[in-house]
Amino acid sequence: MSEFRIHHDVNELLSLLHVRGGDGAEVFIDLLQKNRTPYITTTVSAHSAKVKIAEYSKTPEDFLRKYDELKSKNVRNLDPLVYLLSKLSEDKEMLQCLQQNAKERSEASANATTSTTFAIPPTSTKMSMQELEELRKKLGNVTASSNVPQSAEVTRKMLRDRHNKKNPTQPNPVFPNWVYDRPALIGDFITGATAAGDPEVAIGTMPLPAQEQALVDDLLFVLVGVDGRDITAQPVLGRQNRSFIVDPTLDMSIKELVNRILPVASYYSTITRFTEEKSSFEYGQVNHALTAAMRTLMKEYLILVTQLEHLHRQGMLSLQKLWFYIQPTMRTMEILASIASSVDKGDCMGGSTLSLLHDRTFNYTGDSQAQELCLYLTKAASVPYFEILEKWIYRGIIKDPYSEFMVEEHELQKEKIQEDYNDKYWDQRYTIVHCLSLFFFSECGRDVTCPDAKEVLYTLKERAYVEQIEKSYYYASKVLLDFLMEEKELVARLRSIKHYFLMDKGDFFVHFMDLTEEELKKPVDDIVPPRLEALLELALRMSTANTDPFKDDLKIDLMPHDVITQLLRVLAIETKQEKAIINADPTEVALSGLEAFSFDYIVKWPLSLIINRKALTRYQMLFRHIFYCKHVERLLCNVWISNKTAKQYALHRAKWFATAFALRQRMLNFVQNIQYYMMFEVMEPTWHIMEKNLKSASNIDDVLCHHTSFLDNCLKDCMLTNPELLKIFSKLMSVCVMFTNCMQRFTQSMKLDREMNRLSLEHGTMEGPPTQSERTEEQEKKRLTSKFLAEHVDALQSDACFEATVSKFDSNFSTLLLDLLDKLSVYSTNDCEHSMINIIYRLDFNGFYTERLERMAIERSQKAAA
């Protein structure tokens, strides 16, 4: 059941129960989605549930009658509903709640309803029974002649509109109006016509032999849908069975025998009306085939009536003989009429008609004649359906002009797969069945025919269908898998994506970040994308990535959000925070190129079925996360280089400087270990598992599943699916960046590099190398400059309270790191995320944080106990 259906059903149920307030529908919907399990109905469970409800019911006969009526209409989900009701009947608390609700609703309805009195006008004279009967017949004739055709026309129009909505380019053909306006063409009783005149002699006044011959003559007419002199058909309303009026003056013995034969005429009327109605184009090919099979049987029936009429003309047919000859046909006509009524009541078309016929065939086990008859009808009706099925499973083509097939085709453009953030093409190009295999080749312009293609015929042995369909499915899956894996080089494409999005090529990224560092420092609005593309091309040609045959498909993408915002927006989908995040004001801080930068990849059909936009977005999130970590690592390494330069100067107050050095080293250790964990303990092992699984994949669904599982596991183990961990990690990265900025400002304030370059004469001048006196003078100037700069820097740090700033950075970083380690410990224990505990072992390799973490765990358990 889809999520939309759950929403609709819950809201409908609350509306029917008049439930207002409370927790609302969302709470119940969440409970249903979390606790729903697949339910498979069996004949035994449905029967036991039906018996249980009948035992609890005050009117079991009415319940069983209603159940049989719904069953005859082939109502869907009837047995699961009965099973649910049987469970409700056992829940005493639920029953009391429903009874109370019913009482409240009835009281509210009674208060809202105003009493209305109806006055019956007095009649001056009483009607005789004969006048009453004539009035009833006239009203029946008028109703039958006006309402029924209108109802059938409305049904046909509804079916036409539904078909034209699904297939606007292929409208259904329509019969001309005269087909429906001439009732004499139907072959059924014309109840609206008036008799030529009343009989001169009542049949009851005739001798018994004459009565019998007259009734035989009437019955032969009635059996083929024509009113007799003493037996007339009653008009039918809707889907009622035909009834007859026999002259009341007829001898009782003859009348009794006539009443035994008349059901055959009623069955004939039902079958005739059914075949005429369902022969219209709107009812589909399955119903057309069923009515054609019924017409074949009706020809046999009419031949029998013709033979009986021949005997009657020879004077060799008595009423007893007629009853004897008609009995074998009665059972056949009863089954045909029953099937016609069930199909008509259930408004069955296509697969639902075949399901009903299959159930009937299966239920007649033990009655060989009835089962053989149903088997004949089912085989005939299934021919057009199985023709559609054969084209689908053997050629991947659906030719379903009347929308009867179980698989429904939707018009989707394969070119838009790269733009859609979902698996819409694979999941929705055809609904119900997810295998696109052979159709896939027709989309690629290739014709593939299954070598095991055989005609699909109806049989009660369901395993025969399974074997045929499985053979076709396995062949199509193998051909498609080989096509993607070998001809389209799917694994090589995935490796290419891994090189760039998962930073598999280290030298390429060193070249790329060196080339684009200055450009990516600019605000994103000031960056020229073509310049970045040119630098990317240069980095690809200068590194080992130059050997990648698919490197030209890599391109630059500047995103509108930073990676943390993007991830939080994705994680907030279908949660309470989604609306708040979407409606939140955009940040006023302009994104830099580094924060907005990402790679993109060009994937063409048919590989875009696997590497679709949804998968590429996941790759982008992983890349942006690692890329930002790489950026922070480079910043810390630059601080290390600057600190090395500053070490040669004797600073008067070196305590804060040593603290800053130690903090920088702790930050660098944290960032490098996080990167090592993500790349070598998460992505590489998970990638190898996916590669191994792809080699053993048997169909394209397995490939999709393994690829999606790889990306999901990487996102989860890299802490990108947990908002709490993500926020802490984001703050840690921010502290590192702010610390590096602070240290770089300090280093720049010293202007060591510029001053030393200005004073240095190591390389001499245009006139030659420096003399000894010039060297001595240079060294003295250098010593005095270093002393001046050291004193100047000492004053700077004293004025700016640099020591307090470094201490604050140290405190913030330590607090956030401990919080991260504590949360990782909790998740690895409670949620069995054992891979995340490796981060703790790497960052706390010497037990430095162990004592504090144990103290935090004790405090947390004490709070929980309190």
Side-chain angles (χ1 to χ4, degrees):
M1 181 182 290
S2 65
E3 185 177 349
F4 172 79
R5 183 64 183 273
I6 294 175
H7 276 262
H8 176 269
D9 290 349
V10 169
N11 287 310
E12 191 73 14
L13 182 60
L14 292 178
S15 175
L16 291 172
L17 294 175
H18 295 177
V19 176
R20 301 288 185 271
D23 295 329
E26 294 297 328
V27 177
F28 302 109
I29 293 168
D30 290 340
L31 286 173
L32 286 173
Q33 288 179 333
K34 290 177 181 177
N35 298 294
R36 59 178 175 172
T37 55
Y39 171 72
I40 300 175
T41 313
T42 63
T43 307
V44 177
S45 61
H47 179 72
S48 60
K50 181 178 69 172
V51 172
K52 189 177 295 182
I53 295 176
E55 291 176 356
Y56 282 98
S57 176
K58 295 180 181 179
T59 55
E61 295 84 3
D62 294 340
F63 166 74
L64 293 174
R65 190 181 306 112
K66 188 65 177 177
Y67 176 85
D68 292 337
E69 178 187 345
L70 295 174
K71 196 69 176 175
S72 67
K73 292 181 180 180
N74 200 29
V75 174
R76 292 185 177 181
N77 297 323
L78 177 61
D79 289 336
L81 175 62
V82 171
Y83 181 81
L84 173 63
L85 293 176
S86 70
K87 290 296 183 183
L88 291 176
S89 64
E90 297 174 351
D91 192 337
K92 302 297 182 185
E93 185 178 352
M94 180 62 70
L95 286 176
Q96 290 177 0
C97 179
L98 292 175
Q99 289 172 356
Q100 180 66 24
N101 182 272
K103 183 179 178 181
E104 293 173 357
R105 286 188 287 115
S106 62
E107 290 176 355
S109 177
N111 294 333
T113 305
T114 57
S115 58
T116 306
T117 58
F118 298 92
I120 300 177
T123 55
S124 57
T125 57
K126 292 184 178 180
M127 297 179 68
S128 65
M129 291 299 296
Q130 185 177 1
E131 291 174 335
L132 184 63
E133 185 66 23
E134 290 178 359
L135 178 62
R136 188 175 69 82
K137 289 177 68 176
K138 289 180 180 179
L139 289 174
N141 290 339
V142 172
T143 307
S145 60
S146 61
N147 290 350
V148 176
Q150 182 181 2
S151 173
E153 176 58 32
V154 169
T155 303
R156 288 193 295 271
K157 186 178 184 303
M158 180 187 69
L159 292 173
R160 280 198 303 271
D161 293 342
R162 186 172 67 183
H163 172 81
N164 294 337
K165 187 176 180 181
K166 289 184 178 180
N167 303 289
T169 59
Q170 297 178 349
N172 274 337
V174 182
F175 280 133
N177 291 331
W178 57 264
V179 174
Y180 306 109
D181 295 340
R182 300 182 181 182
L185 294 175
I186 297 176
D188 193 21
F189 296 94
I190 305 175
T191 53
T194 56
D198 294 332
E200 297 179 357
V201 181
I203 193 169
T205 61
M206 299 169 63
L208 286 179
Q211 290 186 28
E212 183 176 351
Q213 289 302 311
L215 262 298
V216 168
D217 192 58
D218 270 10
L219 283 171
L220 290 174
F221 277 104
V222 171
L223 289 175
V224 292
V226 180
D227 279 337
R229 193 188 73 158
D230 302 301
I231 304 175
T232 55
Q234 291 287 89
V236 292
L237 299 176
R239 299 186 174 103
Q240 292 178 353
N241 293 326
R242 180 80 67 182
S243 59
F244 299 89
I245 297 177
V246 183
D247 194 315
T249 63
L250 189 65
D251 183 77
M252 289 302 296
S253 61
I254 298 177
K255 188 175 182 180
E256 179 64 28
L257 202 53
V258 168
N259 288 333
R260 292 183 183 181
I261 299 174
L262 283 178
V264 180
S266 178
Y267 301 148
Y268 171 82
S269 175
T270 301
I271 298 166
T272 302
R273 282 182 282 125
F274 174 80
T275 54
E276 289 297 327
E277 180 184 354
K278 300 302 179 184
S279 295
S280 298
F281 289 106
E282 294 81 2
Y283 291 97
Q285 292 177 316
V286 173
N287 284 334
H288 295 169
L290 176 61
T291 55
M294 285 187 172
R295 279 200 176 97
T296 302
L297 296 174
M298 293 304 291
K299 286 181 180 178
E300 300 292 330
Y301 168 77
L302 292 175
I303 290 173
L304 171 64
V305 175
T306 304
Q307 291 172 344
L308 293 175
E309 185 179 2
H310 180 68
L311 290 176
H312 176 59
R313 290 184 176 181
Q314 292 179 342
M316 300 171 60
L317 185 66
S318 63
L319 200 56
Q320 287 287 349
K321 281 187 176 182
L322 177 59
W323 168 239
F324 174 77
Y325 287 130
I326 209 71
Q327 281 188 70
T329 306
M330 181 177 284
R331 177 61 175 160
T332 301
M333 298 293 286
E334 180 186 4
I335 294 172
L336 292 177
S338 174
I339 291 173
S341 299
S342 298
V343 173
D344 205 20
K345 287 179 182 178
D347 294 324
C348 298
M349 283 183 61
S352 56
T353 299
L354 292 178
S355 298
L356 187 145
L357 290 170
H358 176 75
D359 290 342
R360 287 296 180 92
T361 306
F362 186 78
N363 292 336
Y364 279 128
T365 303
D367 187 345
S368 59
Q369 284 188 329
Q371 190 176 48
E372 187 178 352
L373 174 62
C374 289
L375 190 61
Y376 166 75
L377 293 175
T378 312
K379 283 183 176 180
S382 63
V383 169
Y385 191 87
F386 283 158
E387 287 179 356
I388 302 173
L389 179 63
E390 287 175 18
K391 289 181 180 178
W392 167 240
I393 65 175
Y394 294 144
R395 300 183 60 194
I397 299 172
I398 290 184
K399 190 175 182 181
D400 183 20
Y402 298 99
S403 303
E404 299 174 281
F405 194 46
M406 60 184 173
V407 181
E408 187 175 5
E409 184 176 4
H410 302 279
E411 289 297 328
L412 296 175
Q413 295 182 9
K414 60 180 182 290
E415 291 79 9
K416 291 189 175 182
I417 297 180
Q418 280 220 300
E419 303 172 10
D420 295 332
Y421 288 82
N422 49 40
D423 300 327
K424 185 177 180 181
Y425 192 91
W426 185 256
D427 291 337
Q428 298 182 18
R429 183 64 169 90
Y430 293 100
T431 53
I432 304 302
V433 174
H434 298 290
C435 176
L436 302 174
S437 304
L438 289 175
F439 166 79
F440 178 95
F441 289 102
S442 64
E443 289 279 285
C444 296
R446 300 184 60 172
D447 187 18
V448 178
T449 304
C450 179
D452 297 325
K454 296 179 181 178
E455 186 180 4
V456 182
L457 299 174
Y458 176 77
T459 174
L460 287 174
K461 298 178 181 179
E462 297 180 3
R463 185 62 195 170
Y465 302 121
V466 176
E467 289 176 356
Q468 273 184 278
I469 294 174
E470 282 184 348
K471 283 181 180 178
S472 171
Y473 171 72
Y474 290 139
Y475 170 76
S477 298
K478 185 178 183 302
V479 173
L480 172 57
L481 194 61
D482 293 342
F483 177 72
L484 285 178
M485 290 291 191
E486 297 174 8
E487 187 169 334
K488 294 300 178 180
E489 300 178 288
L490 174 62
V491 176
R493 281 281 181 178
L494 291 174
R495 285 200 191 104
S496 175
I497 291 174
K498 177 173 177 278
H499 291 335
Y500 310 116
F501 286 86
L502 304 186
M503 295 196 176
D504 197 3
K505 295 287 185 182
D507 64 324
F508 159 70
F509 279 98
V510 172
H511 284 300
F512 179 75
M513 296 182 83
D514 287 341
L515 291 170
T516 60
E517 186 172 14
E518 293 301 322
E519 188 74 16
L520 291 178
K521 284 181 180 178
K522 300 177 183 177
V524 68
D525 295 334
D526 297 339
I527 293 177
V528 182
R531 177 173 172 77
L532 275 182
E533 294 282 357
L535 293 174
L536 172 64
E537 182 75 14
L538 183 61
L540 287 170
R541 304 302 180 203
M542 293 172 58
S543 65
T544 55
N546 193 35
T547 59
D548 181 14
F550 309 114
K551 61 181 178 295
D552 294 332
D553 291 331
L554 187 67
K555 63 178 185 177
I556 298 294
D557 191 10
L558 296 176
M559 309 294 284
H561 307 288
D562 62 274
V563 62
I564 303 299
T565 305
Q566 181 188 14
L567 287 165
L568 291 176
R569 288 169 72 94
V570 171
L571 294 174
I573 293 174
E574 297 183 359
T575 64
K576 296 179 181 179
Q577 292 81 20
E578 179 181 13
K579 191 173 182 181
I581 289 178
I582 292 175
N583 297 331
D585 294 333
T587 177
E588 296 180 358
V589 181
L591 287 178
S592 67
L594 281 163
E595 293 171 320
F597 178 76
S598 179
F599 282 142
D600 203 355
Y601 201 84
I602 300 172
V603 186
K604 297 180 180 178
W605 174 266
L607 290 174
S608 52
L609 276 176
I610 308 298
I611 313 171
N612 49 41
R613 175 49 56 186
K614 186 177 181 180
L616 283 174
T617 303
R618 293 175 178 177
Y619 277 115
Q620 284 182 330
M621 290 190 288
L622 286 168
F623 167 76
R624 297 183 73 191
H625 186 56
I626 306 172
F627 184 77
Y628 195 72
C629 289
K630 281 285 184 186
H631 165 63
V632 175
E633 182 188 11
R634 284 173 65 89
L635 292 179
L636 290 168
C637 289
N638 290 336
V639 171
W640 177 81
I641 294 173
S642 300
N643 289 348
K644 287 293 182 183
T645 307
K647 270 187 176 181
Q648 59 184 302
Y649 300 103
L651 300 178
H652 293 315
R653 302 180 184 178
K655 183 179 179 181
W656 65 267
F657 209 65
T659 305
F661 275 37
L663 178 58
R664 182 258 306 148
Q665 190 59 35
R666 287 174 57 207
M667 289 180 174
L668 190 59
N669 179 68
F670 165 72
V671 174
Q672 288 177 340
N673 276 285
I674 284 291
Q675 287 183 80
Y676 183 91
Y677 161 76
M678 289 190 295
M679 297 180 70
F680 295 100
E681 295 187 10
V682 174
M683 295 178 185
E684 279 298 326
T686 313
W687 171 265
H688 286 299
I689 291 172
M690 182 189 71
E691 270 198 332
K692 182 180 177 182
N693 290 335
L694 288 181
K695 291 178 182 178
S696 61
S698 59
N699 54 59
I700 202 67
D701 291 300
D702 291 344
V703 174
L704 271 172
C705 180
H706 295 321
H707 186 227
T708 304
S709 177
F710 161 73
L711 291 171
D712 288 344
N713 289 334
C714 287
L715 288 169
K716 181 189 68 176
D717 291 339
C718 291
M719 302 180 290
L720 299 183
T721 58
N722 189 312
E724 196 171 6
L725 293 177
L726 194 58
K727 289 176 182 177
I728 298 173
F729 187 82
S730 172
K731 291 177 182 177
L732 277 167
M733 291 289 103
S734 300
V735 170
C736 293
V737 171
M738 287 188 290
F739 173 76
T740 58
N741 292 337
C742 182
M743 292 300 293
Q744 289 290 359
R745 284 196 301 270
F746 163 73
T747 305
Q748 290 171 3
S749 68
M750 294 191 301
K751 303 178 183 178
L752 291 176
D753 293 337
R754 189 176 65 181
E755 290 296 328
M756 297 308 297
N757 289 334
R758 184 175 63 84
L759 295 173
S760 177
L761 293 174
E762 288 295 325
H763 297 289
T765 63
M766 295 285 293
E767 298 175 357
T771 62
Q772 184 63 33
S773 60
E774 288 176 339
R775 288 180 183 276
T776 305
E777 184 181 358
E778 170 65 23
Q779 289 177 358
E780 181 63 22
K781 288 182 179 180
K782 189 173 181 180
R783 186 182 63 80
L784 293 174
T785 303
S786 299
K787 180 180 178 182
F788 171 78
L789 288 175
E791 292 174 354
H792 180 63
V793 170
D794 214 30
L796 278 177
Q797 64 84 22
S798 177
D799 294 339
C801 300
F802 209 82
E803 185 174 359
T805 303
V806 172
S807 178
K808 186 68 174 177
F809 277 123
D810 195 344
S811 174
N812 290 340
F813 180 77
S814 299
T815 302
L816 289 169
L817 183 56
L818 277 171
D819 194 16
L820 177 66
L821 295 177
D822 184 52
K823 292 293 189 298
L824 287 172
S825 177
V826 172
Y827 286 122
S828 62
T829 304
N830 296 346
D831 299 343
C832 299
E833 301 294 348
H834 301 303
S835 59
M836 288 187 182
I837 205 168
N838 293 339
I839 304 177
I840 302 176
Y841 295 147
R842 290 203 152 272
L843 297 177
D844 192 26
F845 61 94
N846 59 356
F848 182 76
Y849 301 106
T850 303
E851 184 179 348
R852 300 187 200 180
L853 289 173
E854 290 176 353
R855 193 183 308 126
M856 293 173 72
I858 293 172
E859 292 175 359
R860 186 170 54 251
S861 62
Q862 289 175 349
K863 289 181 181 179

